[in-house]
Amino acid sequence: MRLVVTRSPHRQGGFTLLEVLVAFVLAAIGIVALIQAFAGGLRNLRKMDEYVVAAMVAESRLAEVGILYPVAEGEMEGMEEGDKYRWHLLVSPYEDPDGLVVATEQSPGLFLVEVEVSWAAGSRPGVFRLHSLRAGQ
């Protein structure tokens, strides 16, 4: 006895509707993940831009001490870039914790200069700080 296999003329090759739906769901998940990664990168880029501007403001204020303003105990504050960045500068006598720095009449001593720049950045405000020592005049 011979076995004869016959194909049904109505059966066609291709994808079923379920396979197509699964492929679309997987593609959609991949696209959503890419969009979220791209959006996160843009958020981080904006944050870094704010930190760069804050660092430039702080460095500028720090550089002015001893050039535009005397190195003396005191405080100053102001705004930059249309009230976005608020800066606060504090100059105070430096007290060496080890007692190695000695002030004389020829050398009036060191002053600690602290600059803090703050700005509104979404739900949490951004803050950038710089510290430096300056010789008194």
Side-chain angles (χ1 to χ4, degrees):
M1 173 174 193
R2 234 165 97 181
L3 188 59
V4 178
V5 177
T6 60
R7 289 192 167 196
S8 171
H10 301 291
R11 180 99 172 137
Q12 296 181 356
F15 297 107
T16 64
L17 181 59
L18 182 60
E19 291 171 331
V20 171
L21 288 176
V22 168
F24 275 127
V25 168
L26 292 176
I29 290 171
I31 290 171
V32 167
L34 284 173
I35 289 172
Q36 286 179 343
F38 185 69
L42 288 177
R43 272 192 306 274
N44 288 339
L45 185 62
R46 187 183 76 243
K47 286 170 105 176
M48 289 308 301
D49 186 47
E50 290 172 343
Y51 273 101
V52 166
V53 172
M56 288 190 322
V57 169
E59 288 175 350
S60 296
R61 297 298 154 248
L62 195 63
E64 290 176 351
V65 176
I67 298 173
L68 296 179
Y69 312 109
V71 180
E73 190 172 357
E75 289 184 63
M76 295 173 46
E77 61 181 37
M79 302 291 281
E80 290 285 329
E81 288 206 16
D83 296 345
K84 182 173 182 180
Y85 295 92
R86 173 180 296 279
W87 56 270
H88 182 258
L89 185 129
L90 175 65
V91 180
S92 58
Y94 176 68
E95 297 177 16
D96 186 15
D98 298 325
L100 299 175
V101 177
V102 178
T104 63
E105 288 183 23
Q106 294 81 18
S107 164
L110 293 175
F111 287 86
L112 177 63
V113 181
E114 302 172 87
V115 181
E116 179 178 288
V117 178
S118 59
W119 67 96
S123 61
R124 294 185 338 191
V127 177
F128 185 84
R129 292 181 185 92
L130 282 181
H131 308 283
S132 180
L133 291 175
R134 296 283 194 265
Q137 298 175 344

